[in-house]
Amino acid sequence: MAITGAWQAALKPEFAKPYYAKLYKTVLNEYRSREIFPPSTDIFNAFAFTPLDDVKVVILGQDPYHEPGQANGLCFSVHKDVTVPPSLVNIYKELHDDLGCKIPDNGDLTKWAGEGVLLLNTVLTVRAHQANSHKGIGWEEFTDAAIKVLAAQDRPMVFILWGTPARRKKSLIYNPKHFIVESPHPSPLSAYNGFFGSRPFSKTNEYLVKCGLTPVDWQIEDV
């Protein structure tokens, strides 16, 4: 799936850069020779499901899930028939404690994308069973460009940064109309170090309402 619309126009300069030509070639070869996730048609789903003009909230993930059938092109999200991964279990727990949302029976976050929540990983592809295997091949430069495009939007927006890699992107977010919510990562390794109790969802909605915007309906429905 290609990037279209306002996102395509905003990111057009990136497609002409040498790093992107190299990245494209590398990714193409990886899909031809190995098992890579998500499916190639889903790589740019974050941009497809949340048009640039609709973005109210940005959640930054690291790289896609690396086990078969999990990754669907949206960070932290999986298809409806896939077991909810541990990090998302913790996200749901915090959502329940924060806003009282019912914990759903699936991990498909497509609804959030439709609510204006851009679910963007900083690296968009991964080899099967090898976390972070596509780190450093050029995706970071591309997604940094996307974050810079968002930072240049002169309207209220919330950036939710979970974990060290996401929090490093703080320096790219300079607009005083943009609100940053940050905490440790929701993974089982770090959730108890400050993710639980951080109330990212209510903080986000409070800011949106303060700016005259509709709050996000965070409730994911059961299948």
Side-chain angles (χ1 to χ4, degrees), residues 6 17 28 32 40-41 46 51 59 61-62 75 88 142-143 146 150 152 155 163 165 176 187-188 192 200 213 221:
K17 291 179 181 177
L28 200 63
R32 282 177 179 156
S40 59
T41 50
I59 296 180
Q62 196 165 320
C75 72
L88 187 51
F142 181 73
T143 54
L150 292 160
R155 54 191 167 87
S187 81
Y192 286 95
L213 297 171
E221 306 304 331

Side-chain angles (χ1 to χ4, degrees), residues 195-223:
F195 173 75
F196 288 134
S198 62
R199 304 182 59 240
F201 307 102
S202 60
K203 286 175 182 171
T204 294
N205 278 356
E206 281 160 16
Y207 186 74
L208 293 174
V209 169
K210 191 176 98 177
C211 295
L213 297 171
T214 310
V216 174
D217 176 5
W218 294 103
Q219 180 67 64
I220 298 292
E221 306 304 331
D222 286 342
V223 174

Side-chain angles (χ1 to χ4, degrees), residues 111-157:
K111 177 186 172 178
W112 289 0
E115 287 274 320
V117 181
L118 181 73
L119 296 164
L120 183 66
N121 278 313
T122 53
V123 172
L124 300 185
T125 53
V126 70
R127 286 180 183 173
H129 321 300
Q130 294 179 48
N132 267 329
S133 45
H134 280 179
K135 183 182 176 185
I137 66 169
W139 280 128
E140 292 92 342
E141 194 167 341
F142 181 73
T143 54
D144 276 4
I147 295 165
K148 287 171 186 169
V149 165
L150 292 160
Q153 303 297 304
D154 197 29
R155 54 191 167 87
M157 202 178 284

Side-chain angles (χ1 to χ4, degrees), residues 60 147 151 159 161 169-175 178-180:
L60 282 184
I147 295 165
F159 287 81
L161 310 179
K169 306 298 180 186
K170 226 170 120 168
S171 60
L172 303 175
I173 306 157
Y174 54 84
N175 192 316
H178 297 167
F179 182 61
I180 295 173

Side-chain angles (χ1 to χ4, degrees), residues 180-196:
I180 295 173
V181 176
E182 58 178 321
S183 78
H185 196 275
S187 81
L189 294 171
S190 55
Y192 286 95
N193 293 336
F195 173 75
F196 288 134

